[in-house]
Amino acid sequence: MSLVFHILTLFPGMFESPFRWGILAKAIQEGKIRVETHDLREYGVGPHRATDDYPYGGGEGMVMKPDPLVAAIEEIRARGAKGPVILLTPQGEVFHQQMAKELASLSDLTLVCGRYEGVDERVRQGWVDQEVSIGDYILTGGELAAMVIVDAVARLVPGVLGNEDSALKDSFEGGLLKYPQYTRPAVFRGMRVPEVLLSGDHGAIARWRRRQALKRTLERRPDLLSKAELDSEDLRFLERLRSEAEG
Ligand code: ADE
């Protein structure tokens, strides 16, 4: 299993550092993922290699020209990349963990980083399979969004995380936020680690963690509960928390 990310950008230099550290650096070294940047300037038009132009109809800012984007996408395709072309834009579907999981099973992923006031609409119509936003705020371009997606997707590629089940215990896995974590010392500035975690009773620890995850999700992200995988014991516990909060 390996996944190649093809990134189309006017600023390939932005991608030099983020993947040189930690888990992703190791995954690249071991050939489990590859991150290839393609400089859109190289596909620019005319002596100045233009990649943007004024908007038809007038108005603010510049628009990314279709020709360099399509030339780059077609070259990547011609070299054998099969996966979808994703445009990073605040107008796209908001990125989430389930999307990351689906993308992690692919062999290639092409990420197009928009800049300025956006890309010519015809590129979206003819060459883009999916539009993705990383949240309801406006970045100066799609580059940081592409990095977020590479990071979230790469760690789910089989074999990238050392401990296979650490992805299974992530926040959002099963639809809940993660339980609180502690490490040594057992007492820090007078604050004790919850006794149950020192008990060695694995059943009790698992129950405590499950309940903490439920409590946290109810307090911070109640919107997640309607889609979470919950059993009857979870539902009873949530009911108790809710009635305690009311009482
Ligand atoms: N480009 C600008 N803002 C963005 C966002 N929030 N998500 C993805 N791409 C973007």
Side-chain angles (χ1 to χ4, degrees):
M1 248 327 275
S2 76
L3 171 51
V4 185
F5 297 92
H6 305 270
I7 296 170
L8 276 58
T9 172
L10 283 167
F11 301 112
M14 286 180 74
F15 292 84
E16 278 164 19
S17 166
F19 310 124
R20 280 182 35 217
W21 313 97
I23 287 170
L24 296 198
K26 186 158 167 280
I28 290 169
Q29 207 177 16
E30 292 172 352
K32 296 191 172 115
I33 60 164
R34 227 162 66 217
V35 182
E36 290 184 1
T37 54
H38 304 266
D39 187 351
L40 283 170
R41 180 68 59 187
E42 289 176 15
Y43 301 88
V45 178
H48 299 295
R49 297 201 171 271
T51 56
D52 62 341
D53 206 339
Y54 297 101
Y56 273 119
E60 291 297 301
M62 301 292 273
V63 176
M64 287 177 81
K65 292 169 74 60
D67 1 6
L69 285 164
V70 169
I73 291 169
E74 286 181 343
E75 188 171 310
I76 291 165
R77 284 262 167 83
R79 285 199 223 141
K82 294 174 289 293
V85 174
I86 295 179
L87 174 67
L88 286 318
T89 161
Q91 299 183 20
E93 181 186 355
V94 179
F95 189 57
H96 51 76
Q97 188 68 10
Q98 185 54 35
M99 207 192 286
K101 258 200 231 172
E102 285 160 20
L103 297 176
S105 67
L106 301 173
S107 62
D108 300 90
L109 201 51
T110 299
L111 299 173
V112 180
C113 304
R115 282 263 148 188
Y116 316 116
E117 294 302 308
V119 310
D120 187 289
E121 188 65 17
R122 292 164 292 186
V123 178
R124 310 165 100 110
Q125 288 170 346
W127 288 269
V128 167
D129 300 302
Q130 205 178 339
E131 297 181 36
V132 175
S133 162
I134 61 160
D136 291 338
Y137 39 80
I138 310 295
L139 304 167
T140 56
E143 281 78 7
L144 288 167
M147 291 175 205
V148 166
I149 288 173
V150 170
D151 190 292
V153 171
R155 64 188 286 287
L156 298 177
V157 171
V160 167
L161 290 183
N163 178 359
E164 276 304 326
D165 64 18
S166 57
L168 295 175
K169 298 218 179 84
D170 285 341
S171 279
F172 299 121
E173 198 54 48
L176 298 178
L177 300 185
K178 193 165 176 156
Y179 50 79
Q181 294 273 44
Y182 296 86
T183 185
R184 288 187 288 185
V187 184
F188 174 71
R189 307 256 172 125
M191 301 155 88
R192 302 189 70 82
V193 171
E195 216 52 55
V196 62
L197 297 178
L198 311 175
S199 69
D201 180 343
H202 297 294
I205 291 170
R207 272 193 305 282
W208 180 86
R209 286 181 164 166
R210 182 75 188 169
R211 290 180 166 200
Q212 289 292 318
L214 289 162
K215 184 163 179 280
R216 237 179 210 194
T217 309
L218 180 65
E219 285 165 359
R220 300 182 184 190
R221 293 292 308 277
D223 57 298
L224 296 176
L225 288 172
S226 61
K227 282 195 229 139
E229 295 160 27
L230 304 174
D231 64 18
S232 56
E233 196 183 325
D234 295 333
L235 292 169
R236 271 201 306 278
F237 180 68
L238 285 169
E239 211 33 65
R240 213 175 85 203
L241 289 178
R242 286 193 186 103
S243 59
E244 277 170 17
E246 281 163 20

